[in-house]
Amino acid sequence: MGGVLLATLAADFAWAQAPVGGIYTCVDRNGRRLTADRPIPECLDREQRELSPSGIVRRQIGPSLTEQERAAQEAQQRKDAEARSRELEERRRERVLTTRYPDKASHDVERAAAIQMVDAVTATAEKRLTELKQQHKAFEVEMEFYKKDPNKAPMALRRKIAENEDSMAEQQRFIAGQDQEKRRVHQRFDTELAQLRKLWESQGLPAAASGVATGTPATSR
């Protein structure tokens, strides 16, 4: 009884002498319960509790990490933060997409406008190519005078012919590029439409409005 009483008195004395800031307690790797007025070095590898003078748990601390563990934890935290950021950005993009295209009809209208713009640029290039071909025919008529010996043709004429041929080749490459651009436009709108159909469905949009399972014809290419 005397020993128990002394231990109790000693514990009471420790609590009474503890600073207002708090008391730290933990169980070390040997199973001993330790108490101190500051974080306990023997328990840096495990959880510690900070208690108020009345014995209420203020917070839990640790375990403290090694430099390698801390670096790994920070890397994981950055990875998790980036994943959350990507998810938030994706949700934002989806909201923008469904606001811009509330139904398939609005999406089809913008697809048609984008294709029309490509066609207009292509038509301008084809018109220019036709003009260049006409110029080339005129140059060929002039070259008829030098048919027997083309090297006698004036340098200015030969330079114009070379420039004309380079311009025609450039316009032909540009027109071919516009054909590829049209395919890219269709591919982008097809990808958007596949995503939009899922979003419209998740929002409870009627199938007829989204063009799903209604026999809606594919957009002409």
Side-chain angles (χ1 to χ4, degrees), residues 23-48:
I23 299 170
Y24 295 86
T25 180
C26 68
V27 177
D28 68 9
R29 62 171 60 101
N30 296 319
R32 298 179 302 166
R33 178 168 295 280
L34 306 178
T35 303
D37 61 355
R38 58 183 55 83
I40 303 169
E42 292 85 351
C43 292
L44 291 179
D45 63 340
R46 61 198 58 244
E47 181 183 280
Q48 301 186 45

Side-chain angles (χ1 to χ4, degrees), residues 139-158:
F139 294 146
E140 287 178 340
V141 171
E142 291 186 50
M143 285 296 294
E144 285 292 327
F145 296 102
Y146 310 99
K147 187 175 181 178
K148 292 182 178 180
D149 189 0
N151 291 328
K152 290 184 178 181
M155 182 60 67
L157 177 58
R158 285 187 282 170

Side-chain angles (χ1 to χ4, degrees), residues 42-72:
E42 292 85 351
C43 292
L44 291 179
D45 63 340
R46 61 198 58 244
E47 181 183 280
Q48 301 186 45
R49 294 184 179 184
E50 182 185 0
L51 309 177
S52 68
S54 61
I56 298 175
V57 177
R58 285 180 173 174
R59 59 173 175 154
Q60 295 179 340
I61 306 172
S64 298
L65 304 177
T66 65
E67 184 175 347
Q68 184 176 1
E69 290 172 336
R70 189 179 302 109

Side-chain angles (χ1 to χ4, degrees), residues 120-136:
V121 173
T122 302
T124 300
E126 289 174 341
K127 180 180 179 181
R128 175 57 179 160
L129 181 59
T130 299
E131 294 172 352
L132 290 169
K133 288 180 178 179
Q134 291 173 348
Q135 289 178 2
H136 195 270

